[in-house]
Amino acid sequence: MLSSTITIAKAPGKWVVRAGGAVIGETENALELIEEGVSPVIYFPRDDIEMAFLEPSETVSVSPEKGRAMHYAVVAKSGAIPDIAWSYEEPSEATERVRGYIAFRTGEKVAVEQI
């Protein structure tokens, strides 16, 4: 089995995450996880996210390369957006740097942008 190459670096500049029309996080301390064959993902420090908007879900995913991730729904005025965020509570050695950080699946209801 081939394992992918993972690189984690400080994301330059200021980043914001918007969900359901509300800004739920803003940081200058984001990390960018780059994995071979996958679009880069921005991780926000938990301290820079309005955790009142996040509700833990029962979804847990496990990746041999990244570790065990807990998932979250974002609760917005427009309703809950299920399993839209995740955090590696038990990261692998390769992703230990993102422990305590949260990433978001972007799309129609969630945007992660550099500002």
Side-chain angles (χ1 to χ4, degrees):
M1 178 173 87
L2 293 173
S3 64
S4 61
T5 302
I6 295 173
T7 304
I8 300 170
K10 183 173 183 336
K14 188 177 227 177
W15 291 83
V16 65
V17 57
R18 293 181 178 89
V23 172
I24 63 169
E26 189 174 303
T27 190
E28 292 182 5
N29 298 307
L31 294 176
E32 182 177 40
L33 187 145
I34 301 167
E35 184 176 9
E36 191 176 309
V38 180
S39 296
V41 177
I42 299 298
Y43 283 77
F44 289 77
R46 192 179 295 262
D47 290 345
D48 293 340
I49 296 293
E50 293 295 334
M51 293 301 292
F53 285 101
L54 271 65
E55 185 174 284
S57 87
E58 293 183 12
T59 303
V60 175
S61 60
V62 179
S63 161
E65 291 87 14
K66 294 180 270 191
R68 183 173 182 266
M70 304 298 294
H71 292 254
Y72 298 86
V74 170
V75 181
K77 283 184 180 181
S78 59
I81 308 167
D83 293 333
I84 199 76
W86 68 93
S87 176
Y88 286 99
E89 305 299 318
E90 297 174 24
S92 68
E93 188 175 319
T95 56
E96 179 63 37
R97 195 164 171 201
V98 296
R99 181 188 297 271
Y101 284 69
I102 296 178
F104 296 83
R105 190 176 66 244
T106 59
E108 185 179 317
K109 297 181 181 182
V110 175
V112 171
E113 302 166 328
Q114 186 176 21
I115 55 173

